[in-house]
Amino acid sequence: MSNHLFDAIRASAKTGEAVFIETTDGRRWTYGDALSLSGQIANAIDTLGVRPGDRVAVQLDKSPLALMLYLACVRCGAVYLPLNTAYTLAELEYFIGDAEPRLVVVSPKSKSDVSMVAQRYGAIVETLDVNGSGSLMELANDEGVDFIDATRAPDDLAAILYTSGTTGRSKGAMLTHDNLLSNARALQQTWQVTAADRLIHALPIFHTHGLFVATNVTLISGASMFLLAKFDPDEILSLMPKSTLMMGVPTFYVRLLQQDGLKRDAVAGIRLFISGSAPLLAETHAAFRQRTGQAILERYGMTETNMNTSNPYDGERRAGTVGLPLPGVSVRVTDPANGHTLGTGQTGMIEIKGPNVFKGYWRMPEKTAAEFTADGYFISGDLGKIDDEGYVHIVGRSKDLVISGGYNIYPKEVESEIDLLEGVVESAVIGVPHPDFGEGVTALVVSRPGATLTEGDVLRALQDRLAKYKQPKRVIFVEDLPRNTMGKVQKNLLRDQYGGLYTSA
Ligand code: MLC
Ligand code: AMP
């Protein structure tokens, strides 16, 4: 009887006294606390009727208890389904309808709205507050701390994470116990994480980066972390002397560089700064190195594949590259025209194979099949090349995707909402360089002759439809959209034309 992922976590928790989480107000949760709390929550979930394989959807503000709920789901054999706290009710309804969770856990303030939606799909709704109150914890407090973990094989599902689709519906990436465990082990080994490490955790916990990379690596190393509610540069600087690791998206590093306190001695205790989820500009890498003497280590991953590559811990960390394939992971570059593997230095489609690669999209076998090659490589949609020393360089994306502050936005989703508005003929959404977010979501809109639609009207109309980070930073009205002979909008021309929108003074 074994639970593939939790057995590994349990093994690192053998000294129950070691600290797992510390919050900025000085409160601590040991590994022993994590076992007891996750045991109580697992018992409560089980009492509610959640069985192995059932989905548990969670839209919660970041807190230690939200992580205990994640662990409880792993222990119950439930499939954890975290949702961005920025999602609107309209967005949430799609995920609940598609994943059909047995249980939905939200903060008390969202209960009545979410209940209306959940009822339609037969899901139970319970609440959990950052301070530990809420109906789920009331149930858990009456339960014992011992729980017999559900048996889960390496190939059983541990989580579903939704990624937006290039054409319409979001797809649920099904991640198995071994996807998560094998990747956490590969990262632990590559970054040399040990029980002596203390991580500054300022990422959200509803995505691969903050949930699996940051949390699972900490857990299987028996390390500890400072859990911050969100990114706050002052808090981060004050925690640096007591920490050894930091993980962030490039915007974290751009913002830290704006702090006068970011100096060599302030970061002396940190042995490793890691960046991922979006391209780290070589200038940011260089500026950080100049100010602190530390070379940020950049790595590359995806929701579907977990982490694929990383710059080396001991070897050269090359700015502008995402490093070498992780242990056990194969990366190749192929010609998108015929699928043939390309040679060193040639640019093409990045494809990935290994124990890190997901099991497929939830209830979408055709979409899953379309994203794998005949010999089992996942087609990433990222364009890149591998240099003669094996370092992977990402040079672009074949997928129509904007990455803003580490969040993905699929233009199609935003365009579809804009196109519904009265007075709009059509729209094109693009990402253009943004000094803070890396790329800024920008909408070009063609309106009907005589229409009086303004930028403010468009933004107001999107407010309840799309999460804030997906909403355009600017809406620009244009006469028409440039098209090629096939009638396809030439977004590259638009990106060139509006490239200086956020960066030119
Ligand atoms: C917030 N806003 C954003 C935004 N985040 N807009 C665009 N892009 C974003 N990423 C909105 C806010 O709602 C706000 O709107 C305004 O922009 C400014 O907010 P802010 O206070 O500056 O934002 P902040 O709360 O500080 O958040 C910025 C951030 C955050 C960068 C800290 O977005 C973040 O934590 N990003 C990390 C995302 C992440 O973990 N990605 C991993 C995905 S996994 P207004 O109008 O209300 O002021 C993955 C795989 C892999 O990609 O390889 O890891
Ligand atoms: P997501 O779908 O949120 O998991 O985002 C995955 C995408 O983020 C990848 O396909 C890449 O396009 C991008 N990405 C992740 N890490 C990096 C990186 N270090 N450099 C460039 N792009 C990255």
Side-chain angles (χ1 to χ4, degrees):
M1 297 268 278
S2 76
N3 180 301
H4 190 65
L5 177 57
F6 200 76
D7 286 355
I9 293 172
R10 193 187 275 282
S12 73
K14 50 186 176 293
T15 56
E17 295 302 299
V19 174
F20 167 36
I21 295 175
E22 184 164 343
T23 47
T24 45
D25 56 7
R27 282 183 303 159
R28 292 174 162 203
W29 285 257
T30 63
Y31 274 85
D33 295 333
L35 284 180
S36 319
L37 280 163
S38 64
Q40 284 182 296
I41 301 173
N43 277 312
I45 292 175
D46 183 72
T47 305
L48 287 168
V50 173
R51 297 288 161 259
D54 284 349
R55 278 74 60 210
V56 175
V58 172
Q59 190 187 38
L60 288 176
D61 291 326
K62 189 175 174 185
S63 75
L65 279 172
L67 287 179
M68 303 307 169
L69 172 58
Y70 158 62
L71 293 178
C73 289
V74 175
R75 298 182 68 177
C76 284
V79 181
Y80 188 72
L81 197 172
L83 295 165
N84 194 322
T85 45
Y87 287 150
T88 62
L89 200 58
E91 290 168 309
L92 210 64
E93 171 145 24
Y94 170 76
F95 299 116
I96 294 178
D98 191 58
E100 296 184 305
R102 177 93 191 96
L103 171 67
V104 182
V105 186
V106 293
S107 62
K109 63 180 184 297
S110 319
K111 178 161 186 186
S112 60
D113 284 349
V114 174
S115 294
M116 282 190 301
V117 171
Q119 264 165 13
R120 253 175 260 154
Y121 301 95
I124 314 164
V125 179
E126 298 293 342
T127 61
L128 182 62
D129 188 53
V130 285
N131 299 316
S133 55
S135 62
L136 183 66
M137 280 317 289
E138 280 166 27
L139 294 172
N141 288 336
D142 290 337
E143 299 281 356
V145 297
D146 294 324
F147 180 79
I148 300 170
D149 301 334
T151 302
R152 292 280 90 184
D155 198 38
D156 283 327
L157 292 194
I160 295 180
L161 265 60
Y162 275 84
T163 72
S164 303
T166 31
T167 49
R169 300 171 58 203
S170 282
K171 299 169 288 185
M174 299 190 288
L175 296 157
T176 67
H177 275 237
D178 198 52
N179 290 154
L180 303 185
L181 181 57
S182 67
N183 208 238
R185 288 207 161 118
L187 295 173
Q188 177 193 29
Q189 182 189 333
T190 305
W191 298 338
Q192 301 183 16
V193 184
T194 70
D197 276 306
R198 185 174 276 195
L199 171 75
I200 297 179
H201 189 314
L203 291 155
I205 53 169
F206 40 71
H207 279 308
T208 304
H209 197 163
L211 184 60
F212 301 139
V213 180
T215 307
N216 282 347
V217 170
T218 300
L219 280 164
I220 64 148
S221 308
S224 65
M225 58 191 184
F226 280 114
L227 200 75
L228 277 65
K230 64 180 291 250
F231 176 81
D232 177 329
D234 291 327
E235 266 184 351
I236 289 179
L237 278 171
S238 74
L239 292 173
M240 279 188 187
K242 299 186 268 183
S243 310
T244 63
L245 282 174
M246 196 184 106
M247 296 180 191
V249 296
T251 301
F252 283 21
Y253 294 103
V254 169
R255 291 186 181 182
L256 280 171
L257 278 163
Q258 290 159 6
Q259 299 293 311
D260 292 337
L262 186 82
K263 296 200 177 93
R264 219 166 249 264
D265 53 348
V267 305
I270 304 276
R271 68 170 184 87
L272 183 59
F273 286 99
I274 303 167
S275 177
S277 307
L280 181 77
L281 295 181
E283 301 96 87
T284 310
H285 190 276
F288 200 87
R289 191 167 201 164
Q290 207 209 350
R291 282 272 286 284
T292 65
Q294 301 231 21
I296 300 171
L297 177 152
E298 187 169 7
R299 58 65 179 171
Y300 160 53
M302 294 183 71
T303 302
E304 288 91 334
T305 63
N306 298 282
M307 299 305 105
N308 304 314
T309 69
S310 169
N311 269 280
Y313 183 69
D314 284 326
E316 190 194 347
R317 297 178 200 162
R318 284 196 192 161
T321 84
V322 292
L324 310 158
L326 289 170
V329 178
S330 303
V331 179
R332 70 183 182 193
V333 173
T334 61
D335 184 341
N338 54 27
H340 295 163
T341 303
L342 294 170
T344 302
Q346 290 183 288
T347 297
M349 177 65 72
I350 297 178
E351 295 181 351
I352 298 132
K353 190 174 183 175
N356 54 319
V357 177
F358 75 141
K359 200 171 176 174
Y361 294 112
W362 172 253
R363 292 178 179 164
M364 289 184 178
E366 293 86 14
K367 283 218 159 74
T368 303
E371 307 230 4
F372 280 89
T373 63
D375 59 349
Y377 277 76
F378 178 68
I379 305 166
S380 71
D382 291 313
L383 300 173
K385 62 183 181 187
I386 302 177
D387 68 22
D388 48 15
E389 285 170 89
Y391 283 70
V392 176
H393 302 233
I394 299 177
V395 299
R397 296 174 208 133
S398 71
K399 49 194 173 190
D400 191 13
L401 165 70
V402 180
I403 305 184
S404 169
Y407 286 141
N408 285 10
I409 299 104
Y410 278 91
K412 176 91 183 136
E413 189 184 358
V414 186
E415 290 160 4
S416 306
E417 292 294 342
I418 296 177
D419 292 350
L420 289 175
L421 303 179
E422 186 65 38
V424 171
V425 177
E426 60 174 351
S427 62
V429 168
I430 55 170
V432 295
H434 189 287
D436 186 31
F437 291 122
E439 290 181 304
V441 177
T442 306
L444 291 317
V445 176
V446 181
S447 56
R448 287 190 203 295
T452 55
L453 203 64
T454 64
E455 179 171 25
D457 294 335
V458 174
L459 293 176
R460 267 187 298 280
L462 297 180
Q463 244 165 36
D464 294 333
R465 305 293 309 163
L466 294 173
K468 181 82 204 180
Y469 70 89
K470 298 180 190 170
Q471 296 173 24
K473 297 283 175 215
R474 286 293 317 272
V475 177
I476 296 166
F477 289 90
V478 292
E479 289 288 306
D480 50 23
L481 297 173
R483 289 181 187 279
N484 64 15
T485 47
M486 311 285 285
K488 196 170 171 334
V489 176
Q490 291 173 296
K491 290 197 168 175
N492 53 334
L493 296 184
L494 293 172
R495 280 191 286 266
D496 289 345
Q497 190 178 349
Y498 295 97
L501 194 61
Y502 305 106
T503 46
S504 44

